[in-house]
């Protein structure tokens, strides 16, 4: 299919959790554009071309199928598509740097910079480049500098259009976003480029929800949005510890404070800790930027959001050990859920990884079950794979277990036959509900010793 029949050719470099779903939505909503998603990973691209997509996301396959082969294409041919596209989204990974200056905090921009250099060498016409990846504030400047080293007389407008989708609800978030944010320069060229990007989203997003601002504010807003969301979770989790000491109930406290419309109910679910590829990475990035500017108090303030999260995860394992007579050695512990949240197979920074490793250090026998994430769990636990059992069926996982620990709030765990599970477990049987999704009174009635988050335990012992 030639691109002449399309109004525009949009390319996205990076076919991951963001690039794939975002471009699928643009293609589905805008049949007049050709949308190509390119990646260096041939396995990923092959999966995008099949009906077994590389990521699990409810509703994604249906959206992909609307447009794939019509105006949505997945490819490893990056240079040819760079040359052909007028608008290029860059959605490559920007993990935390693990080496050198800023290690453990700042973003590793090597994939980002490689992309800039590929764009530069493969381009023969002016282009609009859009940062879709989450980047430190002022990264667009570095991208501009690299691109404008060209001696071909080409002009590149670099804009920031951060993505706010959450995994598990990506399709709904993309179809009906709270807002789309586009940061550009206020120059004549910048405003023209901004209009081109606004026009894409205006095909389905109400105009008043498309916000525009300067590039640095758009970049920073993305980091700050994630920092604020994570801060709410760390705030409620910190109070969950106090509830456990005082006999108060975190669900009642969250409800009481959430009814204040200024606070609201969202993101107040106490948990075993937040995971996901971005919260920790983006906060540490923010912390690093603050330190770079000498704002040490600000850096410390945000770093504590991450510290509380780590403490919450380790507190969970401590609680298990303490409840089970101060030894977990030789005991079979079934982890219900390995994904970092429900409705995704993604396990990046999942609390399950830390918890499994800590349990193994205590010589527990760990069995992991999850409806979507076992493939990734095996990769995360590659180095200890001989010590962990992976079992798709939760009933089989629970057989002979001394304890169950709910790590992911999968809906199906709410409605299991816990009488049957109890009968198959070692006694005394323990449940540690890291998500407060189970009916604790009912479990207690069945015979379990129940340890929720932020509530007094229900124990027969
Ligand atoms: P991901 O790891 O799933 O995907 C990134 C893809 O980029 C990979 O498939 C990788 O092979 C590819 N890639 C890397 N270098 C490349 C290159 N030079 N050329 C072509 N392809 C290349 O990452 P993701 O979760 O999609 O995140 C991408 C960015 O979006 C990150 O900056 C992240 O912070 C941000 N973000 C992620 C989410 C989310 O829910 N995952 C939400 C909002 C924003
Ligand atoms: C988060 C943000 O919600 C998105 O807006 C953002 O685009 C994305 O990060 C990103 O930049 O990657 P995501 O990580 O996919 O999205 O999922 P969330 O729903 O935010 O959940 C993150 C973690 O917090 C999960 O482990 C979840 O279980 C936990 N959580 C969430 C709680 O423990 N309690 C809550 O009340 C809410």
């Amino acid at each position: 299919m030639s691109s002449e029949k399309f109004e525009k050719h949009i390319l996205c470099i990076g076919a991951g959790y963001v690039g794939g779903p975002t471009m699928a939505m643009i293609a589905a909503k805008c049949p007049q554009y050709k949308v190509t998603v390119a990646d260096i990973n041939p396995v990923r691209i092959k999966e995008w071309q099949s009906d077994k997509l590389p990521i699990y996301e409810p509703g994604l396959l249906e959206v992909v199928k609307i447009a794939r082969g019509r105006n949505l294409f997945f490819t490893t041919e990056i240079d040819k598509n760079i040359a052909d596209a007028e608008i290029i989204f860059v959605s490559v990974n920007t993990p935390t740097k693990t080496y050198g200056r800023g290690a453990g905090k700042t973003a590793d921009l090597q994939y980002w910079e490689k992309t800039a250099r590929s764009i530069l060498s493969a381009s023969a016409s002016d282009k609009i480049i859009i940062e879709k990846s989450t980047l430190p504030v002022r990264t667009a400047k570095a991208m501009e500098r690299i691109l404008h080293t060209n001696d071909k007389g080409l002009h590149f407008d670099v804009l920031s259009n951060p993505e706010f989708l959450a995994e598990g609800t990506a399709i709904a978030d993309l179809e009906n976003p709270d807002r789309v944010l586009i940061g550009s320069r206020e120059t004549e060229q910048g405003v023209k480029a901004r209009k081109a990007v606004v026009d894409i989203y205006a095909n389905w997003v109400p105009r008043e929800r498309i916000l525009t601002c300067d590039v640095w504010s758009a970049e920073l807003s993305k980091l700050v949005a994630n920092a604020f969301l994570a801060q709410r979770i760390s705030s409620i989790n910190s109070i969950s510890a106090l509830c456990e000491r005082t006999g108060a109930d975190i669900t009642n406290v969250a409800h009481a404070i959430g009814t204040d419309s200024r606070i609201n109910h969202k993101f107040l679910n106490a948990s075993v800790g937040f995971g996901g590829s971005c919260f920790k990475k983006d906060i540490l990035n923010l912390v690093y930027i603050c330190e770079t500017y000498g704002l040490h108090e600000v850096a410390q303030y945000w770093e504590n959001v991450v510290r509380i999260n780590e403490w919450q995860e380790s507190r969970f394992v401590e609680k298990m050990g303490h409840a089970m007579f101060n030894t977990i050695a030789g005991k079979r512990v079934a982890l219900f859920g390995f994904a970092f949240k429900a409705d995704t197979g993604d396990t990046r920074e999942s609390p399950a990884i830390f918890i499994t490793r800590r349990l193994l250090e205590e010589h527990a026998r760990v069995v992991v079950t999850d409806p979507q994430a076992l493939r990734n769990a095996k990769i995360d636990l590659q180095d200890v794979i001989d010590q962990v059992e992976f079992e798709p069926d939760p009933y089989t996982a629970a057989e002979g277990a001394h304890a169950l620990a709910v790590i992911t709030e999968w809906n199906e765990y709410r409605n299991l036959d816990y009488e049957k599970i109890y009968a198959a477990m070692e006694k005394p049987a323990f449940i540690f509900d890291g998500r407060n999704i189970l009916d604790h009174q009912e479990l207690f009635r069945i015979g379990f010793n129940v340890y929720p988050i932020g509530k007094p335990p229900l124990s027969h012992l």
Side-chain angles (χ1 to χ4, degrees):
M1 195 177 287
S2 86
S3 53
E4 280 87 74
K5 57 187 263 206
F6 296 104
E7 264 177 37
K8 275 180 196 161
H9 183 191
I10 296 171
L11 171 67
C12 177
I13 303 180
Y17 284 87
V18 169
T22 313
M23 292 304 123
M25 184 59 70
I26 291 178
K29 297 289 183 187
C30 314
Q32 69 276 29
Y33 306 149
K34 178 181 178 186
V35 180
T36 306
V37 192
D39 202 291
I40 41 173
N41 181 340
V43 178
R44 242 187 187 184
I45 289 301
K46 252 204 153 38
E47 289 177 339
W48 279 113
Q49 290 164 338
S50 77
D51 284 354
K52 204 169 173 316
L53 301 182
I55 60 175
Y56 171 72
E57 190 62 52
L60 176 60
L61 182 61
E62 288 75 6
V63 176
V64 167
K65 278 183 160 175
I66 293 173
R68 197 170 53 192
R70 176 189 75 178
N71 65 324
L72 174 65
F73 305 93
F74 294 94
T75 182
T76 49
E77 278 189 289
I78 300 177
D79 288 355
K80 179 179 160 299
N81 281 288
I82 289 174
D84 192 39
E86 291 104 41
I87 298 182
I88 302 178
F89 285 86
V90 183
S91 185
V92 300
N93 35 330
T94 51
T96 303
K97 204 172 167 204
T98 53
Y99 53 89
R101 190 157 184 254
K105 283 201 177 142
T106 191
D108 187 343
L109 297 177
Q110 60 168 313
Y111 308 101
W112 177 257
E113 180 165 339
K114 268 187 201 129
T115 314
R117 291 184 191 279
S118 308
I119 294 173
L120 179 60
S121 75
S123 292
S125 55
D126 294 353
K127 296 187 193 302
I128 296 173
I129 312 298
I130 304 165
E131 295 178 341
K132 198 55 157 163
S133 302
T134 303
L135 293 159
V137 59
R138 299 192 82 86
T139 304
K141 184 92 199 149
M143 176 71 119
E144 272 178 356
R145 280 214 196 100
I146 294 171
L147 293 174
H148 286 131
T149 55
N150 78 85
D151 49 14
K152 305 182 207 168
L154 300 179
H155 179 79
F156 296 91
D157 287 289
V158 182
L159 278 71
S160 166
N161 169 220
E163 184 49 60
F164 296 103
L165 69 78
E167 290 178 28
T169 55
I171 295 305
D173 296 342
L174 288 167
E175 186 145 38
N176 190 20
D178 285 348
R179 80 310 208 179
V180 167
L181 181 62
I182 301 166
S184 69
R185 286 183 177 274
E186 275 305 327
T187 57
E188 195 185 325
Q189 284 275 5
V191 171
K192 208 171 133 206
R194 177 166 82 201
K195 183 175 177 316
V197 184
V198 169
D199 285 349
I200 298 173
Y201 288 103
N203 280 287
W204 78 97
V205 179
R207 187 61 190 79
E208 64 278 9
R209 287 200 221 154
I210 304 177
L211 314 181
T212 55
C213 65
D214 63 279
V215 185
W216 319 139
S217 302
E219 288 178 331
L220 185 57
S221 299
K222 173 62 199 177
L223 296 182
V224 174
N226 274 356
F228 268 59
L229 289 168
Q231 180 201 41
R232 278 177 76 92
I233 303 168
S234 279
S235 296
I236 202 74
N237 281 346
S238 71
I239 300 302
S240 76
L242 188 58
C243 285
E244 285 167 31
R245 295 286 164 89
T246 57
D249 182 323
I250 196 67
T251 306
N252 293 338
V253 174
H255 181 69
I257 64 167
T259 342
D260 185 326
S261 60
R262 293 168 302 175
I263 297 177
N264 91 45
H265 292 289
K266 292 179 187 169
F267 267 65
L268 289 183
N269 291 322
S271 67
V272 59
F274 62 73
S277 62
C278 295
F279 278 176
K280 182 175 170 189
K281 152 178 96 66
D282 292 350
I283 293 173
L284 292 179
N285 205 334
L286 187 65
V287 166
Y288 185 74
I289 295 166
C290 293
E291 277 170 358
T292 307
Y293 287 103
L295 299 169
H296 302 296
E297 286 74 10
V298 185
Q300 225 168 51
Y301 174 77
W302 288 107
E303 195 164 8
N304 275 331
V305 171
V306 175
R307 297 287 157 258
I308 287 285
N309 196 54
E310 290 168 350
W311 179 70
Q312 184 78 347
E313 290 177 356
S314 60
R315 212 169 67 76
F316 188 73
V317 182
E318 296 297 314
K319 188 160 67 176
M320 290 174 83
H322 187 67
M324 293 165 76
F325 320 112
N326 292 318
T327 175
I328 324 177
K331 292 180 181 164
R332 182 174 164 93
V333 179
L335 298 190
F336 274 29
F338 203 87
F340 81 96
K341 64 184 282 196
D343 294 325
T344 178
D346 195 350
T347 58
R348 290 178 291 179
E349 296 292 339
S350 174
I353 301 171
F354 170 82
I355 289 165
T356 305
R357 290 183 184 281
R358 276 291 295 115
L359 288 171
L360 291 178
E361 276 168 25
E362 294 298 330
H363 295 185
R365 293 183 291 128
V366 181
V367 50
V368 171
T369 183
D370 190 289
Q372 293 295 339
L374 288 188
R375 180 168 91 158
N376 282 330
K378 286 178 190 166
I379 298 169
D380 296 326
L381 299 174
Q382 190 55 47
D383 56 319
V384 287
I385 201 151
D386 299 342
Q387 300 170 52
V388 181
E389 205 180 306
F390 300 89
E391 172 52 59
D393 178 38
Y395 291 103
T396 312
E399 266 170 36
H402 297 74
L404 306 184
V406 178
I407 309 296
T408 313
E409 71 282 21
W410 286 104
N411 218 9
E412 53 220 84
Y413 296 154
R414 295 173 203 265
N415 305 315
L416 296 175
D417 180 346
Y418 282 97
E419 297 264 13
K420 180 173 153 186
I421 287 175
Y422 181 74
M425 285 177 66
E426 289 288 326
K427 311 292 178 319
F430 293 85
I431 285 197
F432 300 90
D433 185 356
R435 295 290 183 167
N436 286 346
I437 56 166
L438 304 181
D439 182 340
H440 300 146
Q441 288 297 344
E442 174 59 11
L443 293 172
F444 181 61
R445 188 199 61 71
I446 291 171
F448 284 102
N449 299 295
V450 188
Y451 288 79
I453 297 276
K455 296 166 193 267
L458 300 170
S459 174
H460 297 284
L461 301 168

